[in-house]
Amino acid sequence: MRLVLGKDCRVHSMVHKPTGQECVVPGTRLPVFTATQYRRPYNNELQLAYPAKSTVFAADSVRREGDLLVVSFGLLDYEARIRLRITNAYIGFRLEELDYKTTAGYRDKPKTCVDEVCFLQLPIRERKNFGDWLNVLWDEKVAFNLLATDPYAKIDAGQFPDSRLFSASAVDEVKLEGVGAALVTTATANLLDRIASVEQDFNLPRGAESRRRKEYKWSYCETQNVRPQNIDQHIAYPRQAGFRAMVTYCRAFAKGSGHFEWRPEYPKGMDDLHVVVQKIKQAGLLAGLHLHYNKADKTDPYVMGKPDPRLNLSRLLTLVTPLDAKTTTVTVDENPRGAPLEDGRRFLKISNELITYENYTTTPPYQFLGCQRSQLDTRSATHDTGCKLGILDVDTWPLFVRFDQRTTIQEEVAQPLGTIYRNAEFQFAYFDEAEAVHPPYWFTVSWAQWLVHRRLQPEPLFAEGACKSHFSWHMLARGNAFDIFQPEVIKAATREHPTAEAERVALDFTNINFGWIGYWLPDQDTVGMQSDMLEYVTSRAAAWDCPIALQADLEKLELHPRTPDNLEVIRRWEDVRARNWLTDEN
């Protein structure tokens, strides 16, 4: 490509050289670089000139010094230094430095903050296809892709009638300097090659490589209650169904997430788990790990007894009246409107004590009512007026408490997960409950995944996850599975959800998992899982060349009268995909 920027910080042209196509909208006056102050303009003169609201300031000049772009934001007295990395595959942009450049004026001006810097913004002509996960715009000939080169870049593409405004930004709440993105304009057939170059040069997880592996298309059977004593029985069913992979759920061998303490059924700990994984692999099956990673069970040492200060608090409150060790009403200064009222989620944390509540008032005095003290083995204590307390961020299961991703706890938990993955010799991973993080979601969803993923060695052949953000594309090679639909609605739900998602995610050069498929026994409430239902799901998955996942409960598989028929349906469609019998034409 050839990208031409004017000294006035407007884009003049971006041409794909082999085809001669102009990729940007001509004559646009949008600036390539901007700086945003969220709450109000902070400089005294700007406060007087502009209203108190989020304000975007356009850069007013840019010059090139070797491999640096020096960008001036004259109104804010800031200068940005953006490092260029120009290769045959992409152009890299890295916001290296943001300097306050005080200028001579009527009086000294203190340094003010900048909340967000857009270090690249381009209005790209609309094309046939847009993948919002990878942030790629493409047709049969040319693809345009702006992707993050680290977890910190905020990547987006706003839609207009004839174009999309692609942008890469650094946000102060996350990281303001040392943040980068890569600009790719290439023949569509070469896009994954270009992304692979970016991933190699910036030491990113190998998302392009994962999508090209033969294992990428393999379906799997997940075992919920596997033990060293019953692993052989578990293995018999996926082999009968023609599966090429098998997943072990972390709660099968661990009491819970957080410290991942061994269940009593694994008395030898890692040795027992290694036996399970080796038997899976010896049976010719790929071995995967299904893990919860961004939260701790309520019964885990991170929560019980003395709750870790790095557990997330969804809101901070201020104690108005002191508490003795027996008080059952907690009065606070702030309105608790919107605090959880679901069973199992009503927790306050004050110092090292956890307190549950029945309800609260939303008019003064603001009070939590029906409180029970010293919950989850914590100790009741006295607390003074003015003490800060918080609403514990209990997830919606509600078995778990979420981590504060601004602290070191996620990295700490990643270490034992890495040890389990490496020593047991797993080969791929499923990142469950990836949505169990706090804002800003564009960052924390993939940040938590990245902290764990980089500990999984050797790097997983591929990974899946329950939620994704832009940077996740490098780690989650397959889109999330939908879990789980009852037999009576599974056909309609498959049409509405996985089939629609497969078409959407294909625009990101990715496929999805058409599972998870539950396995119900016939009883008075349901006809149970039947062969025609499995035929429907697996045939639709095959049409999109996508895998499925079956949640395999050993007891249900053994008791269901149609298990042999059901597994034969899966085997036939797995064989269809393995032989590439279906093509785009037929």
Side-chain angles (χ1 to χ4, degrees), residues 347-372:
F347 278 85
L348 302 175
K349 180 180 181 294
I350 179 165
S351 187
N352 290 324
E353 183 182 358
L354 295 179
I355 303 170
T356 59
Y357 57 89
E358 285 297 320
N359 210 329
Y360 50 79
T361 63
T362 56
T363 57
Y366 301 123
Q367 295 180 323
F368 290 89
L369 308 172
C371 296
Q372 296 186 33

Side-chain angles (χ1 to χ4, degrees), residues 425-474:
E425 300 185 42
F426 285 107
Q427 297 164 288
F428 69 99
Y430 186 92
F431 288 76
D432 200 358
E433 293 273 297
E435 70 277 8
V437 290
H438 54 75
Y441 300 114
W442 66 265
F443 170 68
T444 53
V445 167
S446 51
W447 170 254
Q449 293 166 348
W450 182 67
L451 289 177
V452 175
H453 189 277
R454 66 182 184 174
R455 292 281 183 176
L456 306 183
Q457 298 297 328
E459 183 172 317
L461 297 174
F462 59 85
E464 295 178 5
C467 185
K468 55 188 181 290
S469 58
H470 170 72
F471 191 75
S472 301
W473 191 94
H474 302 293

Side-chain angles (χ1 to χ4, degrees), residues 93-327:
F93 295 80
R94 185 174 185 266
L95 180 57
E96 199 160 88
E97 207 171 2
L98 190 64
D99 291 335
Y100 184 70
K101 298 287 187 180
T102 185
T103 54
Y106 300 108
R107 61 179 180 80
D108 292 336
K109 292 188 292 186
K111 179 180 180 180
T112 60
C113 71
V114 172
D115 295 301
E116 181 172 337
V117 175
C118 177
F119 57 92
L120 186 66
Q121 181 173 259
L122 298 172
I124 305 300
R125 284 177 166 174
E126 189 65 272
R127 293 183 182 271
K128 180 180 178 181
N129 306 302
F130 174 67
D132 58 355
W133 180 15
L134 179 57
N135 203 51
V136 59
L137 189 64
W138 59 282
D139 55 24
E140 291 77 8
K141 293 183 178 180
V142 177
F144 175 89
N145 182 207
L146 182 62
L147 71 163
T149 56
D150 54 59
Y152 311 104
K154 181 182 178 183
I155 301 293
D156 208 349
Q159 186 171 11
F160 295 91
D162 60 347
S163 65
R164 292 183 185 267
L165 186 61
F166 280 73
S167 62
S169 302
V171 179
D172 186 48
E173 180 185 7
V174 174
K175 189 178 182 182
L176 201 55
E177 297 178 322
V179 179
L183 175 64
V184 175
T185 303
T186 186
T188 302
N190 297 332
L191 178 64
L192 287 183
D193 290 335
R194 304 294 183 254
I195 295 174
S197 295
V198 172
E199 291 175 335
Q200 180 174 345
D201 291 352
F202 291 91
N203 195 27
L204 304 181
R206 302 301 199 258
E209 182 180 334
S210 290
R211 287 165 173 81
R212 288 170 159 169
R213 294 182 182 278
K214 65 180 186 299
E215 298 91 346
Y216 175 58
K217 298 179 180 181
W218 290 359
S219 298
Y220 62 79
C221 179
E222 173 158 339
T223 59
Q224 297 285 318
N225 56 352
V226 65
R227 310 282 187 255
Q229 299 78 16
N230 64 16
I231 179 59
D232 292 327
Q233 293 169 270
H234 277 280
I235 288 172
Y237 289 105
R239 294 187 69 181
Q240 189 177 342
F243 286 118
R244 289 166 173 78
M246 184 170 170
V247 168
T248 300
Y249 188 29
C250 65
R251 295 175 75 85
F253 59 82
K255 293 179 182 178
S257 300
H259 286 79
F260 297 95
E261 299 172 309
W262 296 102
R263 294 179 63 92
E265 293 88 349
Y266 284 73
K268 297 180 182 178
M270 183 59 71
D271 290 342
D272 282 338
L273 181 59
H274 188 262
V275 167
V276 168
V277 173
Q278 290 309 302
K279 285 204 170 189
I280 292 171
K281 295 164 76 172
Q282 289 164 9
L285 300 169
L286 205 65
L289 172 62
H290 174 165
L291 53 94
H292 294 290
Y293 61 99
N294 50 19
K295 55 194 177 181
D297 278 69
K298 288 179 182 175
T299 56
D300 188 80
Y302 277 124
V303 182
M304 292 279 287
K306 186 178 180 181
D308 195 287
R310 298 168 297 174
L311 298 175
N312 192 52
L313 303 177
S314 59
R315 195 186 309 177
L316 286 178
L317 306 164
T318 308
L319 193 63
V320 169
T321 58
L323 298 181
D324 62 26
K326 296 182 179 180
T327 306

Side-chain angles (χ1 to χ4, degrees), residues 551-570:
Q551 287 192 343
D553 182 290
L554 190 59
E555 182 179 6
K556 291 179 181 178
L557 285 166
E558 292 175 343
L559 292 176
H560 199 304
R562 297 205 64 190
T563 288
D565 295 336
N566 290 341
L567 298 185
E568 174 62 15
V569 166
I570 295 174

Side-chain angles (χ1 to χ4, degrees), residues 48-99:
L48 297 171
Y50 293 90
K53 64 178 183 179
S54 180
T55 306
V56 179
F57 296 92
D60 49 31
S61 69
V62 59
R63 68 183 186 272
R64 182 172 177 180
E65 297 178 355
D67 62 353
L68 279 178
L69 293 179
V70 182
V71 181
S72 173
F73 297 93
L75 277 177
L76 297 178
D77 297 318
Y78 271 96
E79 188 176 86
R81 300 171 70 81
I82 300 170
R83 180 75 60 182
L84 297 173
R85 183 171 183 168
I86 300 175
T87 75
N88 289 329
Y90 60 87
I91 301 176
F93 295 80
R94 185 174 185 266
L95 180 57
E96 199 160 88
E97 207 171 2
L98 190 64
D99 291 335

